[in-house]
Amino acid sequence: MRDLDQWVIVCEDVQKSFGRFEVLKRVNLKVARGEVFCIVGPSGGGKSTFLRTLNALETFDAGRIRIGNIELPSTRREVIEIRVGMVFQNFNLFPHMTVRRNVALGPVRARGLSWRDSNERSERLLTRVHIADQADKYPGQISGGQQQRAAIARALAMEPKILLFDEPTSSLDPEMVQEVLQVMRELAHTGITMIVVVSLEGAVVRQRMELIKSSLICGATRLTCTLCGSAKRLWSSDFRRTNDRIF
């Protein structure tokens, strides 16, 4: 019971292949309740695939994944019930709906909340991510940073206990990155469990790492990463955990 209370995510020897290409190679990790956890690595290293397995958006071939008290593979409904939310790299907002409607839709469809109550929740969350004044606009009418903050509000509308971020700032202009990071920093202090996927891309990574408490290094090729100001060589045969701050 103590292990179940402490570790909200447990992965043991998780494997995933696309044809003959092995994407996940016996991944083992544990994420504590309330932890802010980062997966760092180059494009093609399997980071997003791994994140999608945690949200039942992707199957895995072997190994074990436990989210809360649910063993995967499981249904999307069960994953929703244990409150796992996800923020995607490309926002994935419905272009024909206002920002308010995008945020309010999930609780109505998945949890049976009334439109009135869901709209009220939407307005509170949009205020929380600092875009309440954009509520009646459509995604195409607001900036990329505002769209990503709307996507975070949409994920929060489902009241998740675990929030997965798939490279949440990679598609943003540099001046918009800080807008999203500020919201993520605020969330990191609320006790919600966060897993953040980040690519290794020089100075941008250093900027993003400000909110990270612990991280997991992965990769698809040999590469150099700067850890605490010194270059270290990383190899891709497995995932390795470090408590170093990467900026």
Side-chain angles (χ1 to χ4, degrees), residues 80 89 106 108 124 127 138 146 155 165 187 190 197 217 229 231 244:
I80 290 172
Q89 178 178 346
V108 172
R124 288 195 303 271
T127 298
Y138 291 88
Q146 291 169 332
F165 292 85
L187 287 175
T190 66
V197 158
I217 306 298
D244 292 335

Side-chain angles (χ1 to χ4, degrees), residues 82-135:
I82 59 173
R83 299 185 178 179
V84 180
M86 188 162 180
V87 178
F88 298 90
Q89 178 178 346
N90 294 318
F91 323 137
N92 288 4
L93 298 173
F94 292 111
H96 62 290
M97 294 183 181
T98 63
V99 170
R100 178 188 286 107
R101 191 82 168 186
N102 265 282
V103 176
L105 181 64
V108 172
R109 293 292 177 85
R111 300 206 184 278
L113 205 64
S114 70
W115 276 110
R116 178 179 177 178
D117 289 343
S118 194
N119 280 326
E120 289 177 356
R121 180 183 296 182
S122 173
E123 290 168 5
R124 288 195 303 271
L125 290 170
L126 292 173
T127 298
R128 183 176 176 182
V129 299
H130 315 297
I131 54 169
D133 57 335
Q134 308 297 321

Side-chain angles (χ1 to χ4, degrees), residues 164-182:
L164 311 176
F165 292 85
D166 188 5
E167 301 201 40
T169 61
S170 64
S171 61
L172 301 178
D173 294 332
E175 62 270 18
M176 297 178 183
V177 169
Q178 284 301 324
E179 299 178 5
V180 175
L181 284 180
Q182 180 58 39

